[in-house]
């Protein structure tokens, strides 16, 4: 069954009766696609109650970014979640799906809210270097959602890899008792990672966008074959519209060392005003 709450007060009334159940959270900004739904499926498998939050978080957008035009499609989102709930109820009749979709921003940031959760180190490079206030916005909202929803498990997509590392660091540093699960990137059949921002692309941009996943794949092949990938990266950065393209230690986003076990090939490709993120994890052994 699916329950929908738009205020903390109503959600709290429900949550206080759940003391013995495991609760999974899938935090989203809505406009749900198969990527988001894969996180929900996993949460349903692993928890009695799965809470999908839908909140377009103003704090993680920079002043010139797309907060106003970010797609808001609550009715379609609820239909997609209901569909999943319907299938899940046949397999797991005892499980519940909850949607927490605050209507008002002050449900999350009450008037006078004046706290920032800010992780150091891993937030300074890549997305953090390009979008200086972004991760403070992400960690502040995720912390708020964790406090409100009170989950045992949280599900995030590898698609936003640096975000996953930042959230893991926040959870570790603040001793937050929530298991963080990072799930694989869901892609279109042509390789493009699903993203709510793909719909900003024109038809011609959509086909140019494939250069992103193809380049990451090329670098992956070079790494697997123990060949040099640095000249390919330099050529790409010189000739194409990358915000960044790097191969880093997947654990801490530092420059890889000999003992690095796993690498992340991570890049942002720019098409007009749209920035497309993607990454691949590859063993370094
Ligand atoms: P968003 O609504 O964009 O903030 O994303 C909510 C969650 O869905 C985040 O944990 C994202 O990493 C995850 N997500 C977004 N796109 C994908 C994808 N293509 N595959 C898997 N997870 C995704």
């Amino acid at each position: 069954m699916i329950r929908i709450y738009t205020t903390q007060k109503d959600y709290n009334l429900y949550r206080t009766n759940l003391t013995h159940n495991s609760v999974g959270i899938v935090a989203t900004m809505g406009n749900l696609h198969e990527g988001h739904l894969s996180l929900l499926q996993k949460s349903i498998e692993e928890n009695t109650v799965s809470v999908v939050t839908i909140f377009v978080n103003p704090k993680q957008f920079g002043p010139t970014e797309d907060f106003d035009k970010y797609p808001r499609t609550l009715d379609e989102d609820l239909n997609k979640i209901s569909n999943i709930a319907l299938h899940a109820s046949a397999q797991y009749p005892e499980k519940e799906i909850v949607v927490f979709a605050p209507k008002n921003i002050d449900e999350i940031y009450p008037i006078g809210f004046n706290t920032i959760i800010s992780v150091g180190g891993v937030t300074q490079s890549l997305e953090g270097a390009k979008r200086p206030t972004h991760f403070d916005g992400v960690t502040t909202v995720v912390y708020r959602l964790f406090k409100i929803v009170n989950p045992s498990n949280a599900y995030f997509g590898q698609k936003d890899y640096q975000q996953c590392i930042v959230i893991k660091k926040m959870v570790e540093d603040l001793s937050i008792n929530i298991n963080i699960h990072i799930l694989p990137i869901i892609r279109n059949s042509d390789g493009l990672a699903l993203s709510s921002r793909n719909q900003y692309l024109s038809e011609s941009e959509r086909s140019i966008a494939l250069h992103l996943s193809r380049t990451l794949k090329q670098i992956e092949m070079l790494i697997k074959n123990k060949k040099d990938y640095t000249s390919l990266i330099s050529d790409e950065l010189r000739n194409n519209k990358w915000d960044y393209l790097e191969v880093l230690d997947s654990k801490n986003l530092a420059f890889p060392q000999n003992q690095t076990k796993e690498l992340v090939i991570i890049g942002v490709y720019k098409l007009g005003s749209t920035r497309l993120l993607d990454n691949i994890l590859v063993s370094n052994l």
Side-chain angles (χ1 to χ4, degrees), residues 27-29 33 35-36 39 70 156-157 159-160 184-186 194:
T28 81
M29 298 205 296
H33 52 61
H36 301 112
L39 306 182
Y70 197 85
F156 293 94
K159 162 83 174 20
D160 298 281
I185 300 174
I186 305 297
L194 297 191

Side-chain angles (χ1 to χ4, degrees), residues 1-198:
M1 96 176 258
I2 167 169
R3 300 168 186 271
I4 301 168
Y5 299 106
T6 59
T7 66
Q8 272 188 66
K9 195 166 157 254
D10 291 342
Y11 176 77
N12 283 343
L13 279 174
Y14 165 77
R15 181 67 179 91
T16 42
N17 294 320
L18 288 178
T19 40
H20 299 298
N21 291 318
S22 67
V23 175
I25 185 173
V26 177
T28 81
M29 298 205 296
N31 195 240
L32 303 183
H33 52 61
E34 290 301 321
H36 301 112
L37 299 177
S38 71
L39 306 182
L40 174 57
Q41 291 283 12
K42 191 69 176 173
S43 174
I44 294 170
E45 274 168 46
E46 296 185 350
N47 299 278
T48 318
V49 175
S50 293
V51 182
V52 181
T53 66
I54 299 181
F55 177 65
V56 184
N57 172 34
K59 287 194 190 292
Q60 72 189 69
F61 290 78
T64 59
E65 293 180 2
D66 55 344
F67 175 69
D68 288 333
K69 83 167 192 190
Y70 197 85
R72 289 155 171 90
T73 52
L74 186 60
D75 290 346
E76 284 99 319
D77 293 346
L78 294 177
N79 279 338
K80 288 176 186 169
I81 296 169
S82 302
N83 231 344
I84 295 216
L86 196 68
H87 283 95
S89 65
Q91 200 177 354
Y92 313 104
E94 76 290 2
K95 300 207 177 187
E96 291 195 353
I97 298 177
V98 174
V99 178
F100 179 58
K103 272 203 194 108
N104 297 317
I105 286 180
D106 59 15
E107 275 302 321
I108 304 295
Y109 305 121
I111 308 289
F113 184 89
N114 201 8
T115 297
I116 293 170
I117 306 290
S118 188
V119 171
V122 286
T123 52
Q124 299 308 299
S125 60
L126 308 171
E127 281 304 281
K130 294 284 169 192
R131 306 173 71 192
T133 56
H134 173 66
F135 284 121
D136 283 358
V138 169
T139 41
T140 303
V141 81
V142 170
Y143 186 84
R144 287 289 293 132
L145 293 169
F146 281 178
K147 286 309 246 188
I148 295 166
V149 172
N150 197 8
S152 9
N153 292 295
Y155 298 83
F156 293 94
Q158 182 198 318
K159 162 83 174 20
D160 298 281
Y161 190 72
Q162 189 177 12
Q163 173 174 293
C164 294
I165 298 295
V166 170
I167 289 167
K168 278 187 148 186
K169 187 75 181 122
M170 172 182 81
V171 163
E172 184 190 328
D173 285 359
L174 300 180
S175 308
I176 298 171
N177 194 16
I178 297 171
N179 301 309
I180 305 296
H181 305 260
I182 303 179
L183 300 188
I185 300 174
I186 305 297
R187 299 174 180 279
N188 279 312
S189 53
D190 58 12
L192 183 67
L194 297 191
S195 164
S196 303
R197 290 186 167 110
N198 290 352

Side-chain angles (χ1 to χ4, degrees), residues 130 208-219 232-246 265-271 275-279:
K130 294 284 169 192
I208 302 170
L210 297 181
H211 188 71
L212 167 59
S213 56
R214 286 181 184 155
T215 306
L216 300 188
K217 273 260 161 225
Q218 256 180 299
I219 298 171
L232 173 60
I233 292 186
S234 315
D235 287 352
E236 279 295 328
L237 289 172
R238 204 170 324 111
N239 299 324
N240 278 307
K241 292 190 170 163
W242 295 90
D243 253 359
Y244 54 82
L245 174 60
E246 296 194 40
I265 311 160
I266 188 162
V268 164
Y269 197 65
K270 284 191 297 188
L271 280 167
R275 301 171 71 252
L276 299 176
L277 286 75
D278 201 352
N279 66 82

